[in-house]
Amino acid sequence: MGYPTHRLRRLRRSRGMRRLVREAHVGVSDLIAPMFLCDGENQRQEIDAMPGVFRYSVDVAVEEAQLLHELRIPAVLLFGVPPDERKDKTGKEAWAADGLVQQATRAIKKAVPELVLIADTCFCEYTDHGHCGVLNTTREVLNDRTLENLAKTAVSQAKAGADIIAPSAMMDGQVTAIRKGLDKQGFEDTAIMSYAAKYSSAFYGPFREAAQSSPAFGNRRQYQMDCHNVREALHEVKLDVEEGADIIMVKPALAYLDIVRAVREAVPNPVAAYSVSGEYAMVKAAAQNGWLDEKATATEIVTALKRAGADLIITYWAKDLAEWLASEPAGGRPLDAPGRKPAGKAGGGRRRGRKGN
Ligand code: PBG
């Protein structure tokens, strides 16, 4: 009498039991690894605020891509970081045939043809003022002039072999402009992953160091979204889908799980969540102080993104996650208390932790 009939703890008693009843799964096939590219040869420049993340010269980027492919990561997202002397008012380096993204795309495509190559399409890394487009005399970013340049950039990236174009400039009509530009040049099969709901965010801080793309004045609030809004995100997403976006992205991710969920329910397209530089840096810094367990925290974050409805996850932990997932023990031991050593590699320990396990 008085004892519970429903004991939800029954299904939590062992690792095997918990695996059996899991609702959300993170698999290595969900992951997209961002990659920063710089000039030179044999360059591997670590980013201060993002320990473990580097800017690579193209030759090293090819080796790195090979490694990611061997770890079964399906895709990389490429960012070019040219030196200051190749930056100008319009950011024309973005569509240079021998630009960093174009060079790396050609080289990686040749060496690792199966890897899906996604090109970030924006100008903040290429303009001398650090804004995401062309400015007028009162220093506002001109939407329609920037659209022409986005289309040119997308075509040059597609020519180099990019599989997916990922516009992140937050210009109105950018998906239409890029789709038309691509189709006109015979690239109707090149996909578009639009940064549809991209918020103006403090979480981008470390990226701006990585990409040397901080705005020289002002901020990006006139084109990126205001963090107070959710209906507006759905409006952006709806327009991008109508304009022909194939994949929809929400960014940042961790503080925007409600947006991920709302977008997942609003459209049939695959939804990508971009776990941004600040999310990575916070955990890294805390882990370096011994205040957080990096692996457990990172795993929990990406699991939350899947649970919220993300299909794809862009994350600076992609490589670590691929390794962690590959060594995840199957485990059937009862009472596998937290803090105990994992079961190791024996007996199914080599499972990849993919969907459906
Ligand atoms: C802009 C761009 C940004 C990020 C990706 N693309 C930054 C910005 O808008 O300032 C941020 C990514 C991150 O923080 O990890 N092209």
Side-chain angles (χ1 to χ4, degrees):
M1 277 312 254
Y3 292 115
T5 307
H6 302 286
R7 294 182 186 273
L8 297 186
R9 291 177 51 181
R10 285 180 197 129
L11 303 184
R12 297 178 195 145
R13 290 186 71 232
S14 66
R15 185 192 289 273
M17 197 72 107
R18 291 190 299 272
R19 283 183 74 216
L20 197 62
V21 299
R22 269 181 195 165
E23 299 174 39
H25 294 269
V26 178
V28 69
S29 62
D30 305 323
L31 305 176
I32 299 173
M35 205 189 267
F36 298 106
L37 304 160
C38 64
D39 270 8
E41 264 172 57
N42 203 20
Q43 294 296 309
R44 201 182 276 274
Q45 307 167 352
E46 192 162 27
I47 294 145
D48 283 347
M50 301 174 75
V53 178
F54 300 82
R55 282 185 292 264
Y56 299 120
S57 51
V58 171
D59 53 332
V60 182
V62 172
E63 290 168 21
E64 188 62 20
Q66 192 90 50
L67 220 69
L68 295 171
H69 176 61
E70 279 160 21
L71 284 166
R72 303 171 55 99
I73 291 173
V76 294
L77 172 59
L78 300 172
F79 293 94
V81 190
D84 284 350
E85 59 273 17
R86 288 213 305 281
K87 300 188 182 196
D88 69 349
K89 279 197 310 223
T90 55
K92 65 176 186 306
E93 180 69 15
W95 63 86
D98 61 350
L100 287 166
V101 169
Q102 288 82 354
Q103 280 185 46
T105 300
R106 282 192 293 268
I108 297 172
K109 234 336 138 212
K110 200 163 150 211
V112 206
E114 302 91 337
L115 193 65
V116 175
L117 300 185
I118 310 175
D120 180 81
T121 307
C122 192
F123 300 106
C124 58
E125 305 99 315
Y126 303 98
T127 51
D128 51 17
H129 46 72
H131 278 283
C132 301
V134 183
L135 303 179
N136 69 7
T137 48
T138 56
R139 292 179 157 187
E140 261 184 281
V141 176
L142 288 168
N143 193 84
D144 300 11
R145 276 283 318 283
T146 302
L147 290 181
E148 292 166 28
N149 295 345
L150 281 167
K152 270 192 268 190
T153 303
V155 167
S156 86
Q157 292 169 335
K159 262 188 198 154
D163 301 290
I164 303 180
I165 302 300
S168 64
M170 288 302 280
M171 296 301 125
D172 289 321
Q174 63 183 12
V175 176
T176 300
I178 288 173
R179 188 69 273 157
K180 278 197 181 148
L182 290 171
D183 291 359
K184 215 166 23 183
Q185 301 286 323
F187 294 109
E188 60 277 345
D189 290 328
T190 304
I192 298 177
M193 172 166 80
S194 81
Y195 288 66
K198 178 177 179 180
Y199 286 85
S200 174
S201 174
F203 287 99
Y204 303 153
F207 174 94
R208 292 181 185 170
E209 177 209 325
Q212 294 160 2
S213 66
S214 295
F217 54 86
N219 52 51
R220 304 205 205 290
R221 292 198 193 123
Q222 289 178 343
Y223 40 104
Q224 299 182 347
M225 283 188 50
D226 184 321
C227 73
H228 302 79
N229 298 349
V230 54
R231 285 198 312 272
E232 187 189 356
L234 294 175
H235 198 170
E236 284 280 5
V237 166
K238 176 168 171 277
L239 292 175
D240 280 10
V241 170
E242 284 168 7
E243 290 179 29
D246 300 284
I247 301 172
I248 291 297
M249 193 204 294
V250 174
K251 179 186 170 191
L254 183 55
Y256 295 80
L257 293 177
D258 56 329
I259 312 294
V260 173
R261 167 54 53 192
V263 171
R264 168 67 296 147
E265 285 170 8
V267 294
N269 306 56
V271 175
Y274 194 149
S275 178
V276 300
S277 56
E279 300 176 31
Y280 177 84
M282 305 194 283
V283 176
K284 274 281 178 189
Q288 284 181 347
N289 273 298
W291 296 339
L292 278 178
D293 174 333
E294 181 183 6
K295 177 179 170 184
T297 311
T299 307
E300 189 172 329
I301 291 173
V302 290
T303 303
L305 298 179
K306 288 292 290 193
R307 198 188 60 228
D311 301 290
L312 308 173
I313 299 171
I314 304 166
T315 170
Y316 300 99
W317 278 295
K319 199 170 157 186
D320 293 327
L321 281 164
E323 284 166 1
W324 296 334
L325 285 167
S327 62
E328 186 187 283
R333 288 188 307 168
L335 301 178
D336 181 355
R340 274 218 222 158
K341 281 214 172 120
K345 291 231 168 186
R350 295 165 57 83
R351 296 293 292 272
R352 292 214 166 238
R354 295 187 38 138
K355 273 182 220 148
N357 269 4

